[in-house]
Amino acid sequence: MIGARMDALHPRLLVARFGETFRFYDALLPGLLGAVRTRGGAEGPYASWDVDGQGVLALLDRAAMAAAVTPPGAGGAFGTSGPDDRTMLVSRVPDVDAAYAACLARGAAPAGPPADRPEWGPTLRSAQVRDPEGNLWELQSY
């Protein structure tokens, strides 16, 4: 284990047509997977579904995510975030700062430094990195 323990890993889709995409998954996930919507609604910008208390899918407005991470052209070994990002991985960690440092020590590129994000949740803290392939990974605690 590298410094911080990662508890859960789930995909987050970064979408431009939030309402339409929300209605699609909200209609299908309960019946197909037994998923329960835990946050959000068709108005966006965020919604998520869990199965047995574990996150299985989250949606976030693509423009909202692009505004939160390093802007295009601002550097980073594996590229930066922008409006073309369509997916990301999300992990809940006990210490965002320690997990971010561990990722950087293993070669991740910084995409968004640790920051409190009360607009996303009253106690949410998050940071974003990119893996060697350029995939966006958000580390969060709440």
Side-chain angles (χ1 to χ4, degrees):
M1 183 181 325
I2 304 169
R5 181 173 168 265
M6 309 297 174
D7 289 330
L9 183 69
H10 65 271
R12 178 183 293 164
L13 302 179
L14 306 175
V15 300
R17 298 184 331 220
F18 190 92
E20 182 180 349
T21 307
F22 169 87
R23 286 185 288 279
F24 175 82
Y25 284 107
D26 201 49
L28 290 171
L29 291 176
L32 293 176
L33 303 179
V36 175
R37 182 168 23 107
T38 56
R39 291 181 202 89
E43 68 283 353
Y46 181 82
S48 64
W49 294 263
D50 290 1
V51 172
D52 295 330
Q54 294 293 312
V56 294
L57 181 67
L59 302 179
L60 180 63
D61 180 82
R62 189 178 306 147
M65 190 71 239
V69 297
T70 305
F78 311 124
T80 56
S81 183
D84 292 333
D85 281 318
R86 294 183 182 272
T87 60
M88 67 187 298
L89 297 174
V90 179
S91 291
R92 185 173 180 182
V93 299
D95 184 330
V96 169
D97 297 81
Y100 182 76
C103 289
L104 296 182
R106 290 289 187 175
D116 294 329
R117 302 202 183 277
E119 68 278 14
W120 294 0
T123 61
L124 188 91
R125 183 167 179 77
S126 70
Q128 298 82 24
V129 297
R130 288 195 178 275
D131 71 14
E133 187 65 27
N135 297 302
L136 195 56
W137 186 10
E138 180 170 280
L139 310 162
Q140 60 177 230
S141 65
Y142 48 93

